[in-house]
């Protein structure tokens, strides 16, 4: 069922809200071993049901009336703690709602709980979470992807129709791909980040994970648009994306890339080729594009991202909020021990890298170099978009791997984001779409900045043609 169908069933009385949620809670509890939720409170779910019932006794049901939603645990909801997947914030209770959460509640959505993630959104597998990894609901020996791991898993395991995640370098699209669902990251500045913990400010975006494109469009129209509390809110209006039932690929120019220039697993390659030929058969003109800078994307990302991470993480010092060590005599000890005990290994690694990249001694050489190549990449994308309407790449370079198998190899994990990170670096929009059912490769439609409606329509059309 999609949002409109489920909402209508509640309103018509065909489905009983309380019965539906009692069953949903049973499903969630029976799948506890997937380790999807960090915070989950039944009483809060029934409190929300009571609220929307009271509010709607005059028949003015919100657009998300009764729809189950999960939130990545870096999005603030004042009824549940917000850990960001870290020991640093294990007991942190936020005192306000993120703008996106207020907007969901206003439309009568039900917040099911806060879901697992890589620590402070750094990771690709959920294995950097202080609360242990989430398992992939399709095959629980595999990673679900990350960092919005619980978001993807909760939708794939049918615990929520939609989940909000965050994407700074693929964290919505990559887990969506690994869990065989849809994951959308809007153009930079489209959805408010107020109340979402920052990882790397020039890259972070709130994104939406769902089982269908239509629900992504419905949700974006509700949570997107201008927010005067977010200085990066670049739209001065509401979002009102329309699905055009007549949209098709005739006359569309779709840019593709030569996968032989990249290291990619065979199945991912085959699925990409499958999608390209499908899109071609639907009437699109396929245009091969040559990218000079794409192969540097993960290196540029590492430099820019860790520099921003090191500055964002400096607020966690044990003094204002969050974890505080028991072991200190001097102020130096307090900082060092708090941060060494409170942050996991991956977060510490990135803080160390970022501090090096920003160091004054070498005149911030690498950071400046990274920003220069970032500009070249962005110019290159703009030039390509003069030739095509949409750029098509695989979402990831590999399929989900066995839990635990790459913990010792962070560099290979970084490389899997080759096609994800440039979209963030250049502020573009993107949606990841499954090609086949089950564990398989996915594709990304990448669009020009603010041309989200184009890629969403293309995704909707592809989804219908492919099913
Ligand atoms: N895998 C990427 C990383 O670890 C994605 C991060 C993100 O998008 N939040 O940096």
């Amino acid at each position: 069922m999609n949002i409109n169908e489920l909402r209508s069933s509640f309103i018509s009385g065909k489905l009983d809200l309380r019965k539906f949620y009692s069953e949903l809670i049973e499903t969630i509890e029976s799948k506890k071993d997937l380790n999807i939720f960090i915070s989950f409170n039944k009483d809060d779910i029934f409190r929300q049901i009571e609220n929307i019932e009271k509010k709607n006794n005059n028949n003015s049901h919100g657009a998300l009336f009764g729809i189950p939603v999960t939130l990545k645990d870096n999005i603030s909801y004042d009824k549940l703690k917000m850990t960001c997947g870290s020991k640093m914030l294990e007991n942190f209770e936020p005192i306000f709602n993120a703008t996106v959460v207020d907007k969901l509640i206003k439309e009568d959505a039900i917040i099911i709980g806060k879901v697992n993630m890589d620590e402070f959104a750094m990771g690709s597998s959920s294995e950097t979470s202080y609360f242990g990894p989430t398992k992939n609901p399709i095959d629980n020996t595999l990673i679900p992807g990350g960092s919005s791991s619980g978001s993807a898993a909760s939708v794939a395991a049918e615990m929520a129709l939609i989940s909000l995640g965050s994407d700074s370098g693929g964290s919505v699209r990559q887990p969506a791909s690994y869990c065989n669902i849809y994951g959308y990251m809007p153009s930079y500045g489209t959805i408010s980040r107020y109340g979402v913990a920052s990882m790397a400010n020039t890259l972070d975006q709130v994104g939406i994970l769902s089982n269908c494109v239509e629900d992504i469009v419905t949700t974006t129209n509700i949570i997107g648009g201008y927010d005067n509390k977010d200085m990066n809110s670049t739209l001065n209006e509401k979002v009102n994306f329309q699905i055009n039932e007549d949209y098709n690929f005739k006359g569309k120019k779709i840019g593709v890339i030569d996968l032989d220039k990249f290291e990619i697993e065979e199945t991912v390659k085959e699925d990409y080729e499958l999608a390209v030929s499908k899109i071609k058969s639907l009437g699109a003109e396929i245009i091969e594009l040559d990218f000079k800078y794409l192969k540097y994307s993960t290196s540029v990302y590492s430099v820019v991202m860790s520099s921003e991470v090191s500055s964002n993480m400096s607020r966690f010092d044990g003094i204002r909020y969050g974890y505080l060590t028991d072991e200190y005599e001097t102020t130096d000890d307090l900082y060092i021990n708090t941060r060494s005990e409170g942050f996991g290994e991956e977060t510490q690694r990135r803080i160390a890298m970022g501090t090096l990249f920003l160091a004054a001694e070498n005149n911030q050489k690498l950071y400046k170099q990274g920003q220069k190549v970032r500009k070249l990449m962005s110019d290159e994308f703009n030039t390509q978009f003069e030739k095509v309407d949409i750029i098509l790449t695989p979402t990831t370079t590999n399929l989900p791997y066995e839990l635990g198998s790459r913990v010792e190899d962070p560099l290979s994990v970084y490389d899997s984001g080759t096609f994800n990170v440039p979209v963030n670096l250049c502020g573009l929009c993107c949606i990841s779409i499954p090609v086949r059912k089950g564990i398989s490769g996915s594709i990304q439609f990448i669009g020009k900045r603010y041309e989200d409606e184009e890629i969403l329509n293309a995704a909707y059309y592809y989804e219908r043609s492919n099913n």
Side-chain angles (χ1 to χ4, degrees), residues 181-222:
I181 61 170
Y182 295 80
Y184 161 63
M185 181 185 71
S187 297
Y188 189 81
T190 302
I191 298 179
S192 168
R193 304 184 309 191
Y194 177 72
V196 182
S198 303
M199 173 193 159
N201 308 51
T202 71
L203 305 164
D204 299 343
Q205 285 302 283
V206 170
I208 302 164
L209 301 96
S210 163
N211 272 312
C212 68
V213 180
E214 191 183 332
D215 286 354
I216 286 179
V217 175
T218 305
T219 308
T220 309
N221 287 343
I222 289 164

Side-chain angles (χ1 to χ4, degrees), residues 72 120-124 146-147 166-172 174 199 204 301 305 346 350 413-414 421 424:
K72 184 174 183 176
F120 287 105
M122 297 179 223
S124 308
S147 62
S166 66
D167 191 316
S168 314
S171 276
V172 160
Q174 183 257 28
M199 173 193 159
D204 299 343
Y301 170 76
M305 171 273 295
E346 181 62 25
R350 295 192 193 198
V413 175
Y414 296 167
V421 298
N424 303 71

Side-chain angles (χ1 to χ4, degrees), residues 76 95-103 189 191-196 198 201 225-235:
S76 188
I95 54 169
F96 64 92
N97 285 340
T99 295
V100 288
V101 172
D102 273 337
K103 287 181 167 179
I191 298 179
S192 168
R193 304 184 309 191
Y194 177 72
V196 182
S198 303
N201 308 51
Y226 179 70
D227 178 16
N228 65 9
K229 295 194 199 118
D230 178 358
M231 67 191 231
N232 286 300
S233 189
T234 52
L235 297 178

Side-chain angles (χ1 to χ4, degrees), residues 118-132:
D118 282 293
E119 185 177 30
F120 287 105
M122 297 179 223
S124 308
S125 63
S126 78
E127 291 164 303
T128 72
S129 170
Y130 174 64
F131 302 93

Side-chain angles (χ1 to χ4, degrees), residues 3 221 339:
I3 290 179
N221 287 343
R339 289 166 65 84

